[in-house]
């Protein structure tokens, strides 16, 4: 489930290693995942494209350091076409439930429109940042004008000269606010908390540099290596807030003070939490946009939305013609509200009632041969999720190969193994910046369920080789022993 980077990587990895009975389901009409949906003005990736791309499908003609949404979507769809994934991709599928049949140890995938798929294994590649989050503010449904979330941008809405209310100042808002500010008549930005920023000028690559990328493949490999080291330096700052993190804070402070010349806007925009606790954002355009004559930054809490504007805690009414939610995603919900029903009728929602958890972020006790990509504690605050995904799909492939080699029906992670891993992982957060404020990395209980607490390369090493002793291999029924190897999908 999911036709973004994770689903594409999984399908390619499996098919390239002889596991060819694969189907990719996605609710969208096209391949692309989050890069299909997030088409708002200014949408781009914070991670340099030579690292935010598959190691096996490098591209030499990226237009700039961090590519815009259109180029990333074109890249993903191009890779899918190159590897023939169109023949296994099923669009416009909204999955309601995934249910385990304990008699056969197979899964049934049920779509809203009644379609069903039977599978020996399921890979959930819906990611952490796929379901838009809109806060339950009174009156939100009563707004008379166009209203949209950044991840579901309505390109038919014309903003020229309009009064625009932007609720939320996360990573998406930081990109679309400066992109639309010159066009709108008046913009009011409602901020709950400020952000720490690093610069990102993101200039175009000169043609000569792109020619070098094409002519000397070793340059791109070296560039990927250097970019990985640079991004890991962010993780070092977060892991060591009292030492290296202080240097990062000084650098960010100097940059932000240069950008925020207006003392009142500076006071409002300044973050009030430990550097690195929340996502560090990269932009050289957002803070200047807040100081435009037609932009107002409001830090009073939003209390109500009425048909023609937004009301704040100080009693002010802010008129608006268009409402844009820049409030991010339900990151701790993962694939929910989809029902995942495993052994004994127990749902994944019930299993994760005290917080999401999975062995190596991928496998959960009670849910045999079900794998989660970009699952609990596999987000990276200072790296490329593509590095994680490539390592994960290789691990999934090994798991399925080992299951087939043993002629088993399925494999299931041992509960004691998963619990021990989770305890060690949670202990790794102690003393880091992640623990020193509230953020979208945490669930309602305060448990950090999104992030990997160490470095990219440590995760890659941790999942490089499947340890069969971590799993129980569930035997096939005698009548099934002649059915041949285990496949990953059978419609």
């Amino acid at each position: 489930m999911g036709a973004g980077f994770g689903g594409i990587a999984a399908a390619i990895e499996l098919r390239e290693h002889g596991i060819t009975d694969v189907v990719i389901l996605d609710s969208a009409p096209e391949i692309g995942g989050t890069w299909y949906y997030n088409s708002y003005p200014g949408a781009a990736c914070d991670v340099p494209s030579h690292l935010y791309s598959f190691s096996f499908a490098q591209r030499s003609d990226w237009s700039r350091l961090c590519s815009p949404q259109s180029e990333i979507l074109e890249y993903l769809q191009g890779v899918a076409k190159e590897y023939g994934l169109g023949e296994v991709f099923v669009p416009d599928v909204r999955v309601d439930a995934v249910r385990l049949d304990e008699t056969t140890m197979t899964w049934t995938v049920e779509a809203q429109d009644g379609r069903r798929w039977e599978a020996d294994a399921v890979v959930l590649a819906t990611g952490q940042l796929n379901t838009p989050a809109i806060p339950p503010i009174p009156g939100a449904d009563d707004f008379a004008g166009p209203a949209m979330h950044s991840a579901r941008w309505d390109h038919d809405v014309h903003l020229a000269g309009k009064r625009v209310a932007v609720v939320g100042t996360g990573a998406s808002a930081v990109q679309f606010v400066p992109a639309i500010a010159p066009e709108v008549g008046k913009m009011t930005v409602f901020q709950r908390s400020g952000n720490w920023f690093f610069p990102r000028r993101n200039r175009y690559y000169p043609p000569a540099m792109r020619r070098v990328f094409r002519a000397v493949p070793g340059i791109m490999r070296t560039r990927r290596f250097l970019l990985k080291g640079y991004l890991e330096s962010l993780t070092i700052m977060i892991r060591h807030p009292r030492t290296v993190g202080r240097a990062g804070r000084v650098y960010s402070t100097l940059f932000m003070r240069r950008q925020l010349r207006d003392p009142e806007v500076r006071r409002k925009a300044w973050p009030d939490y430990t550097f690195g606790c929340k996502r560090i954002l990269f932009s050289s355009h957002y803070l200047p946009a807040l100081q435009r004559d037609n932009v107002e930054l409001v830090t009073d809490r939003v209390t109500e939305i009425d048909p023609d504007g937004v009301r704040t805690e100080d009693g002010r009414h802010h008129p608006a013609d268009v409402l844009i939610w820049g409030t991010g995603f339900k990151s701790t919900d993962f694939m929910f509200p989809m029902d995942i029903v495993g052994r004994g009728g127990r749902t994944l929602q019930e299993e994760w009632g005290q917080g999401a958890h999975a062995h190596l972020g991928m496998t959960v006790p009670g849910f045999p041969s079900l794998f989660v990509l970009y699952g609990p504690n596999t987000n990276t605050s200072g790296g490329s999720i593509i590095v994680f995904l490539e390592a994960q799909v290789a691990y999934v492939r090994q798991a399925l190969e080992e299951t087939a080699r043993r002629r088993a029906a399925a494999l299931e992670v041992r509960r004691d193994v998963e619990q021990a891993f989770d305890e060690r992982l949670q202990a790794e957060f102690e003393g880091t910046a992640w623990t020193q404020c509230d953020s979208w990395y945490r669930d309602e209980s305060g448990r950090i369920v999104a992030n990997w607490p160490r470095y990219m390369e440590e995760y890659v090493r941790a999942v490089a080789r499947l340890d069969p002793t971590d799993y129980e291999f569930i035997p096939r029924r005698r009548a099934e022993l002649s059915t041949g190897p285990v496949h990953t999908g059978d419609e």
Side-chain angles (χ1 to χ4, degrees), residues 83-125:
Y83 283 87
L85 299 189
E87 65 190 39
V88 298
F89 172 58
V90 184
D92 301 309
V93 178
R94 294 194 174 275
V95 175
D96 265 345
V98 182
R99 304 180 191 277
L100 177 69
D101 183 334
E102 293 190 66
T103 303
T104 60
M105 282 297 156
T106 57
W107 293 91
T108 300
V109 179
E110 303 171 0
Q112 287 182 1
D113 60 9
R115 284 180 290 177
R116 295 158 65 94
W117 288 264
E118 303 296 326
D120 296 299
V122 170
V123 178
L124 296 170

Side-chain angles (χ1 to χ4, degrees), residues 191 280 347 360 417 434:
Q191 172 191 284
I280 301 166
T347 67
L360 299 169
V417 169
W434 288 301

Side-chain angles (χ1 to χ4, degrees), residues 228 232 235-236 239-240 360 362 377-378 380 387-388 391 395 421 425 428 434 452-465:
K228 192 179 294 185
E232 292 281 45
T235 305
I236 295 174
R239 283 191 51 79
H240 303 283
L360 299 169
M362 289 182 277
N377 294 113
T378 62
T380 167
V387 174
F388 282 66
Y395 185 91
F421 168 80
L425 181 142
E428 290 282 354
W434 288 301
W452 173 248
R454 297 194 65 83
Y455 305 101
M456 281 187 289
E457 285 305 309
E458 288 183 280
Y459 185 82
V460 171
R461 289 196 297 269
V463 304
R465 181 179 177 276

